Amino acid sequence: MRLQNAALGAAGLAAFLALGEAVPRLGLVKEEYFPPTSRIASAFADELSDGAFWTALGDTLTGWALGLAIAVSAGIVIGVIVSVVPYLREATASTIEFLRPIPSVALIPLAVLLYGSELRSVLLLVVYASFWQVLIQTLYGVQDVDPVADETARSYGLGTWARIRHVLWPTALPYVMTGVRLAAAVALILAITGELVIGAPGLGARIAVAQNSQAVPEMYALIVVTGLLGLLINVGARTVEQRALAWHQSVRGEVAV
């Protein structure tokens, strides 16, 4: 079954690449706006041999990783505290619902005013966007804790931290891992967006330079790199999620299927 799915995926990708080669060659779109796949592949190979490309890739991954780490840590800690402390969930509900829908890109002017085109501007956008993914999932996870199990733990004399470790955390972990997986993708999107708009060092800034200099094949090659990067991050996040939840029924069911 897996081999069949892999073969179908490879066939679909080959058809897509062939279509990308044929459309500009047949004159359906102008090559200066949409180069054939072969030219994009050649530009992609040139990028891989350029040291500046790897520096930009490292800058993007640095902003992504640091922002994601801060967002995940803050989201989990704040989510657990808000859920455990009496009445704090109700007291913060309106504030969370007010701040959460604010688009991260709306903070770009603030980020530029505070930090200019530095890495911290990208971190501000990444952390803000990713934080809510983890926080909301953590709140849902803690809310799903079985009250009977919690009361049983209390009756056995377990303290607050022991109940968090043995009752709350196992229940909330599947939700948390979903939040982390979503946050990983959102963090990459905001890292590239911040670099593209603000001009902070990274792949986004390199895409902007290629666009302004009319280096269209190089621009598409860099866009392909961001897509591949997103694919690798998604696969990596799912792998971590499956390993962290190897004991959970949902993952066992996937393995069995």
Side-chain angles (χ1 to χ4, degrees), residues 21-257:
E21 181 73 22
V23 167
R25 297 290 187 187
L26 295 175
L28 299 178
V29 296
K30 294 183 178 180
E31 289 193 21
E32 54 265 31
Y33 300 142
F34 187 80
T37 302
S38 56
R39 289 184 60 192
I40 297 175
S42 177
F44 179 79
D46 292 339
E47 289 291 333
L48 295 181
S49 62
D50 188 353
F53 163 78
W54 294 105
T55 300
L57 178 61
D59 291 334
T60 296
L61 290 177
T62 298
W64 169 79
L66 286 177
L68 181 62
I70 295 171
V72 169
S73 301
I76 292 175
V77 172
I78 295 176
V80 171
I81 292 175
V82 168
S83 300
V84 171
V85 177
Y87 305 112
L88 190 56
R89 175 72 180 271
E90 290 76 12
T92 58
S94 58
T95 303
I96 291 174
E97 292 303 321
F98 169 74
L99 293 175
R100 185 166 63 97
I102 297 177
S104 298
V105 292
L107 300 179
I108 288 179
L110 175 62
V112 173
L113 286 174
L114 292 176
Y115 306 119
S117 59
E118 299 179 10
L119 173 63
R120 289 181 292 179
S121 295
V122 176
L123 287 179
L124 176 61
L125 302 178
V126 171
V127 171
Y128 187 84
S130 305
F131 169 76
W132 301 110
Q133 309 293 329
V134 182
L135 176 66
I136 298 302
Q137 289 297 323
T138 302
L139 294 176
Y140 285 151
V142 175
Q143 189 177 9
D144 198 40
V145 171
D146 188 352
V148 176
D150 188 48
E151 288 299 325
T152 302
R154 290 175 185 270
S155 67
Y156 277 97
L158 271 67
T160 301
W161 290 112
R163 294 200 309 275
I164 291 175
R165 177 182 178 184
H166 298 290
V167 179
L168 185 151
W169 184 244
T171 302
L173 185 57
Y175 293 86
V176 172
M177 293 307 301
T178 298
V180 171
R181 175 163 50 82
L182 295 174
V186 170
L188 179 64
I189 294 171
L190 267 298
I192 300 294
T193 301
E195 295 164 357
L196 185 63
V197 177
I198 298 173
L203 291 176
R206 197 167 172 85
I207 291 173
V209 170
Q211 177 195 15
N212 294 331
S213 60
Q214 299 299 315
V216 178
E218 288 76 10
M219 182 189 71
Y220 278 101
L222 291 168
I223 293 173
V224 170
V225 171
T226 61
L228 293 175
L229 193 58
L231 177 62
L232 291 175
I233 287 174
N234 184 61
V235 171
R238 285 189 175 276
T239 301
V240 172
E241 182 181 18
Q242 289 178 352
R243 291 186 178 181
L245 300 176
W247 52 271
H248 197 264
Q249 183 179 1
S250 60
V251 174
R252 288 181 177 179
E254 289 182 6
V255 174
V257 173

